[in-house]
Amino acid sequence: MEFLSVTRSLRIAMIAPPWFDLPPKGYGGIEYMCSSLVDALVDRGHHVTLVSSGRNGTKAQQHVRTYESPQWRRLGEPLPDLVHAASVRRILESMDIDVVHDHSLTGPLLAAQRTTPTVVTLHEPVAGDYKEYFSSLGDSVRLVAISSSQRATAPEMNWCATVHNGTNPDNFRFQQKKENWVLFLGQCVPHKGMHIAIDAAREAGVGIRIAAKCSEPAEIEYFDSEIRPRLSKGDDAEWLNEVGGEQKKSLLSAARCLIFPISWDEPFGMVMIEAMASGTPVVALNRGSVSEIVDDGLTGIVCESPADLPTAILRSAQLDPEDCRRAAVGGFTSDLMAERYETVYESAIASTS
């Protein structure tokens, strides 16, 4: 899709998942993206109604809750998302809007029941039941990919655009002088590679600080089997649990590098652009969207195998934090993301008028 300038004000219903506040206090990549997009759209003159659970910390002119509290304790259960979708259907019936932008899982099922166009951003790898589900929705929704690598796994689907996620660089603290430790920031699950990160930092002789969500049974099981034994081997690996706010900003800005040793095809990876906005290079394994986001040798080092990570950690000190910040500001801002979604919205509206 060719991204064009949009001058008129649109009425947009932004549907977030029911699991975390916007913006989230800690973990929540989808919620961070939604928050950044809402704020940028409002700044660009649009009227946004946010439908979510819990508190609203965005600039949305209108906020409608489906749950008083976010439902993160029930992640993995089907009913919260179903109740959320049913509430959204009722809420939208009384609203005068131009376009619905849905980030939830169940909500897109109801798109065929309304005449207002629905744009759906896919935030997961497009495979298995997830792929089958969104393929079955046909032309009732317009699908947006968050990376070319994600879209390439299912080119036959009803894609209308590829729009990289963005963030507001002003929300992060740039720091030129780095400290001598690496940062792992994410979720305590095997495919995020926390165990690989600890082993690589130890082999490089560099300390590591680990900040991760670890509350669900599978996360705790992985922590107990793979992470706790590694932490017991020395104080060079520090467990911080889940972080947010100023603590997260301080960690991102001070780290020698962010280590991102994923073993799955990550569709995007918000933490990479957050690190770059902080002037911190990314050392990552070459899976999913990594090579679209990290400029190898400039804003980070892209590795082909875990064995390459220790050397990459040491080399990361040679990269210029100014280059990292410049890349984030030039290519991954929330304003640029919003500008591209404006074109998606206008195209969806035009196709139904």
Side-chain angles (χ1 to χ4, degrees):
M1 169 180 284
E2 181 182 358
F3 295 107
L4 305 173
S5 177
V6 175
T7 57
R8 68 169 174 147
S9 177
L10 299 175
R11 296 161 299 176
I12 304 159
M14 190 73 63
I15 315 301
W19 311 115
F20 298 102
D21 291 311
L22 267 73
K25 298 174 183 176
Y27 183 82
I30 298 174
E31 289 76 15
Y32 273 115
M33 177 269 186
C34 286
S35 300
S36 296
L37 180 56
V38 167
D39 288 352
L41 288 167
V42 172
D43 287 344
R44 294 175 67 85
H46 303 289
H47 185 281
V48 180
T49 297
L50 173 64
V51 184
S52 67
S53 64
R55 66 175 174 84
N56 171 35
T58 75
K59 295 180 180 179
Q61 294 95 335
Q62 184 177 5
H63 179 227
V64 185
R65 290 183 180 87
T66 58
Y67 282 97
E68 284 299 313
S69 301
Q71 299 297 296
W72 60 268
R73 289 183 178 84
R74 300 175 67 189
L75 266 169
E77 296 181 24
L79 277 174
D81 200 62
L82 288 166
V83 170
H84 182 65
S87 299
V88 168
R89 181 193 62 79
R90 173 180 48 80
I91 290 164
L92 293 182
E93 284 178 346
S94 62
M95 291 176 54
D96 185 16
I97 53 176
D98 297 310
V99 64
V100 177
H101 190 170
D102 202 332
H103 301 267
S104 70
L105 182 62
T106 308
L109 273 173
L110 305 175
Q113 299 179 10
R114 54 180 174 256
T115 57
T116 305
T118 299
V119 172
V120 178
T121 299
L122 300 194
H123 294 276
E124 302 291 336
V126 186
D129 287 343
Y130 189 81
K131 175 183 176 181
E132 181 65 25
Y133 167 57
F134 282 104
S135 295
S136 70
L137 298 180
D139 61 3
S140 66
V141 296
R142 281 92 178 154
L143 303 179
V144 177
I146 54 177
S147 65
S148 297
S149 64
Q150 181 199 40
R151 183 168 175 168
T153 62
E156 74 282 4
M157 290 179 65
N158 186 33
W159 302 109
C160 66
T162 300
V163 180
H164 283 150
N165 289 341
T167 191
N168 184 349
D170 294 338
N171 290 338
F172 295 90
R173 187 179 306 139
F174 175 78
Q175 185 170 319
Q176 180 74 38
K177 185 175 176 58
K178 302 297 181 181
E179 299 177 13
N180 193 30
W181 47 267
V182 304
L183 174 66
F184 178 95
L185 181 62
Q187 185 182 9
C188 193
V189 288
H191 62 262
K192 295 287 188 176
M194 189 188 299
H195 61 293
I196 297 172
I198 297 172
D199 293 347
R202 281 209 167 116
E203 187 172 338
V206 178
I208 182 170
R209 297 183 184 180
I210 307 156
K213 172 181 171 291
C214 187
S215 56
E216 298 176 56
E219 295 168 343
I220 295 169
E221 180 182 354
Y222 169 64
F223 179 87
D224 288 340
S225 64
E226 295 291 340
I227 306 307
R228 192 184 300 278
R230 285 174 166 83
L231 295 177
S232 68
K233 292 181 179 179
D235 58 7
D236 56 343
E238 181 181 1
W239 171 253
L240 302 175
N241 217 318
E242 189 172 359
V243 302
E246 292 302 314
Q247 186 181 11
K248 176 182 174 181
K249 293 178 187 178
S250 295
L251 289 167
L252 282 167
S253 63
R256 175 192 188 118
C257 67
L258 174 80
I259 186 165
F260 197 70
I262 53 172
S263 59
W264 75 320
D265 290 328
E266 184 89 38
F268 190 80
M270 285 289 291
V271 68
M272 290 190 284
I273 63 172
E274 292 171 351
M276 289 160 52
S278 308
T280 299
V282 179
V283 171
L285 290 178
N286 192 13
R287 294 290 301 269
S289 64
V290 164
S291 61
E292 290 179 54
I293 299 169
V294 180
D295 189 343
D296 186 34
L298 185 69
T299 64
I301 300 172
V302 180
C303 302
E304 297 302 325
S305 76
D308 300 328
L309 291 170
T311 300
I313 289 172
L314 297 176
R315 285 180 54 208
S316 67
Q318 302 169 11
L319 303 181
D320 188 348
E322 291 279 3
D323 287 333
C324 298
R325 174 75 177 184
R326 192 175 300 113
V329 171
F332 299 103
T333 65
S334 49
D335 186 65
L336 181 59
M337 172 176 60
E339 180 182 355
R340 291 172 173 170
Y341 271 112
E342 286 173 344
T343 300
V344 173
Y345 300 154
E346 285 285 20
S347 176
I349 294 166
S351 68
T352 57
S353 59

